[in-house]
Amino acid sequence: MNKKDIANFKRQFKVNNDLLKIHEIFYVYIMKESSDIYHHQSFPFEMLEEEQKELFMDNFKKVLSGQLDEKLFELKFQRDVEDNSQLILHQGLLSRDTEEWKSHMLRLVEKMLHDKQYEMDIVVTFIRGEYMKPVKRRNEETEENERDTVFSNSFILCSMNSTQDPKKELLFDYVEKQFKYNIVVDPIINLKAPLSGFLFPCFSDNAADVNHVLYSAGKKYELSYHFIDEVLNAEETMTAEDDKIVFEEIVKKVAGDKINTSTLSNVYDEIHRVIEENEEEEVPKLDYKDVEKVLRTSGVKDVDTEKVEEAFKTVIDDGNYELKASNILPKYSSKSIKVKTKVADLSISPPELRHVRQVHLNGKIYLMIELEENTMIEGFEMVPEALFQKAEE
């Protein structure tokens, strides 16, 4: 799934939306002390009150929130695994009997409990439904309804949520005119921050992809490898942060630990160009040959295919690994490159990196930034100083 597919699906999670039909909801309550299933029940989603529907819709949208390779990960199922979760999910997806569907979901819950102790009571919620997407947009001239023809896909969505003890409160009773201690013993299900979750199957080109599952981490870059491996039986993946670190280490292996800002800026510009020229919706990936081309075009000296391939093998132990271009490139709109010094840390956008230089003067190192206008500090305009006057003379 790409970010557009996820956004389209997430957008449908609203009450009374005829493009999203949730047939059933299934709760499983897990006790922290014993890691046992304390209670479970299911019923048609339509039986929920409107306020409950809204709460769950918001929770499901949070499961689907976040950036790909940061909080959301499209994972491929492992092959030749005993009691394969892909098969369990597929059987649950095709099952028309509620009890049969519940039994499949309980098998997944048992995997969640295997060799795992939770720090608080956990509620696992499953829903299954149907997602419909119009084949084409509404035609105003012919008054053809955009929903006359739709792509239809069944799905299962899971959310794992923690519980928390109710707050102890002091209340004032207006009738009896006295203060009362509010005693509530029922735990509160935290629907605002899911611990984990997944969507099966993935959707690609308006079709179901049963060979992949969309895994949702609780927080950015904080993956549960127990959940990925033992529960979903999926292959491990690299995060965007991992890809960025791998790329930096590969460049160091090829170009050395030291690189000037102009060359580094050229590297980012070249990767950005590759992304811009890619007409497909899928983010382009860079293998060792692509990285060699990027470095060579950017002005890095003594670059050859063999050297880059060897760097891949050394850093990640896989000469055929492909890096997602968007993961290794600081996003021009939201991210910046960190320039760290003992005096101060600066954040500079990738396009402006070429205006930064490190220079030597009178035995000292200076960071020089080319400016188009005078600098403002706390509302004061800085006065230009003739620091390089002697050097120019």
Side-chain angles (χ1 to χ4, degrees):
M1 296 182 75
N2 57 38
K3 61 180 181 181
K4 184 177 179 182
D5 293 326
I6 298 171
N8 286 336
F9 182 58
K10 177 184 172 183
R11 199 177 297 122
Q12 307 311 317
F13 278 82
K14 48 193 174 185
V15 177
N16 300 323
N17 176 18
D18 58 356
L19 290 178
L20 185 77
K21 301 296 183 184
I22 300 177
H23 305 312
E24 293 175 279
I25 185 166
F26 180 36
Y27 311 111
V28 182
Y29 195 98
I30 300 168
M31 300 293 289
K32 65 179 179 180
E33 293 89 355
S34 59
S35 291
D36 289 336
I37 296 175
Y38 178 74
H39 176 70
H40 63 77
Q41 69 179 110
S42 71
F43 39 81
F45 190 76
E46 288 302 318
M47 288 183 60
L48 293 175
E49 297 178 359
E50 291 297 303
E51 291 79 4
Q52 289 179 305
K53 290 180 183 178
E54 291 285 357
L55 284 172
F56 278 109
M57 287 295 189
D58 288 341
N59 175 70
F60 299 143
K61 284 192 285 188
K62 287 182 171 63
V63 173
L64 298 167
S65 296
Q67 297 296 320
L68 279 168
D69 299 325
E70 293 183 1
K71 188 174 176 292
L72 298 176
F73 301 85
E74 184 179 80
L75 306 177
K76 186 177 181 180
F77 287 107
Q78 299 177 34
R79 297 296 183 187
D80 303 321
V81 177
E82 187 178 349
D83 197 26
N84 194 302
S85 292
Q86 180 183 14
L87 180 59
I88 296 173
L89 285 165
H90 198 241
Q91 290 173 334
L93 197 69
L94 299 177
S95 175
R96 295 185 178 182
D97 180 74
T98 297
E99 292 303 315
E100 184 181 345
W101 177 63
K102 287 168 56 178
S103 68
H104 291 310
M105 298 305 101
L106 286 172
R107 286 170 65 189
L108 290 175
V109 174
E110 289 172 1
K111 288 190 171 191
M112 296 178 189
L113 302 178
H114 182 67
D115 294 333
K116 181 70 175 179
Q117 183 74 42
Y118 295 100
E119 297 179 356
M120 70 289 287
D121 290 357
I122 299 293
V123 175
V124 182
T125 306
F126 297 95
I127 57 171
R128 64 170 176 169
E130 187 178 9
Y131 164 50
M132 287 156 283
K133 185 178 178 183
V135 173
K136 52 186 176 182
R137 295 181 179 178
R138 180 182 178 86
N139 190 323
E140 299 292 345
E141 295 181 0
T142 63
E143 296 185 356
E144 181 181 4
N145 195 324
E146 63 176 349
R147 301 182 183 184
D148 287 344
T149 308
V150 297
F151 296 105
S152 178
N153 288 295
S154 299
F155 69 90
I156 292 174
L157 183 63
C158 170
S159 174
M160 179 182 285
N161 299 80
S162 64
T163 62
Q164 56 193 44
D165 295 330
K167 294 181 179 180
K168 298 177 181 179
E169 297 174 321
L170 188 65
L171 305 179
F172 180 73
D173 190 323
Y174 278 100
V175 177
E176 298 182 12
K177 296 182 179 179
Q178 62 178 349
F179 291 97
K180 291 184 176 181
Y181 181 63
N182 184 32
I183 302 176
V184 180
V185 296
D186 296 331
I188 298 171
I189 303 173
N190 183 6
L191 294 176
K192 295 182 179 181
L195 297 176
S196 189
F198 65 85
L199 168 68
F200 175 84
C202 287
F203 304 121
S204 180
D205 295 327
N206 301 313
D209 177 7
V210 297
N211 293 315
H212 290 83
V213 59
L214 185 70
Y215 164 71
S216 173
K219 295 181 180 179
K220 188 166 68 171
Y221 299 132
E222 294 186 10
L223 287 70
S224 169
Y225 290 101
H226 170 269
F227 198 94
I228 292 173
D229 185 34
E230 301 295 333
V231 180
L232 296 177
N233 299 140
E235 297 179 356
E236 291 189 5
T237 187
M238 297 279 282
T239 68
E241 190 175 50
D242 293 333
D243 265 357
K244 190 173 186 301
I245 293 172
V246 167
F247 178 73
E248 290 172 356
E249 290 301 314
I250 288 172
V251 173
K252 288 179 182 178
K253 291 288 183 183
V254 176
D257 294 339
K258 297 181 180 180
I259 189 169
N260 61 52
T261 54
S262 177
T263 303
L264 185 58
S265 180
N266 290 340
V267 170
Y268 288 130
D269 285 345
E270 184 64 20
I271 296 173
H272 184 261
R273 184 191 62 78
V274 171
I275 296 175
E276 290 292 305
E277 290 182 354
N278 187 70
E279 296 180 355
E280 300 177 4
E281 291 187 355
E282 294 296 326
V283 177
K285 295 182 179 180
L286 308 177
D287 60 14
Y288 69 90
K289 293 180 181 178
D290 298 318
V291 172
E292 181 222 344
K293 183 179 179 181
V294 166
L295 298 180
R296 188 189 297 275
T297 306
S298 303
V300 177
K301 298 179 180 179
D302 302 324
V303 178
D304 59 63
T305 305
E306 184 178 347
K307 194 173 183 180
V308 178
E309 184 181 13
E310 185 60 33
F312 266 75
K313 292 178 180 178
T314 303
V315 174
I316 200 170
D317 196 26
D318 184 359
N320 296 317
Y321 184 75
E322 295 180 322
L323 298 155
K324 283 189 179 180
S326 59
N327 288 350
I328 59 181
L329 177 70
K331 293 180 177 62
Y332 279 52
S333 58
S334 60
K335 292 186 179 180
S336 57
I337 298 171
K338 305 299 181 183
V339 180
K340 295 186 176 182
T341 71
K342 287 187 176 181
V343 177
D345 292 343
L346 306 175
S347 296
I348 299 174
S349 64
E352 306 305 325
L353 185 60
R354 62 181 68 255
H355 300 300
V356 180
R357 295 287 186 276
Q358 179 175 286
V359 298
H360 289 268
L361 181 66
N362 298 330
K364 294 184 178 181
I365 301 175
Y366 293 86
L367 186 68
M368 183 176 70
I369 304 176
E370 180 184 342
L371 303 174
E372 294 182 356
E373 55 187 18
N374 288 343
T375 305
M376 300 293 294
I377 298 180
E378 297 291 337
F380 294 93
E381 183 175 342
M382 294 185 66
V383 177
E385 300 180 37
L387 182 63
F388 297 95
Q389 185 174 359
K390 293 184 179 179
E392 292 175 354
E393 292 177 353

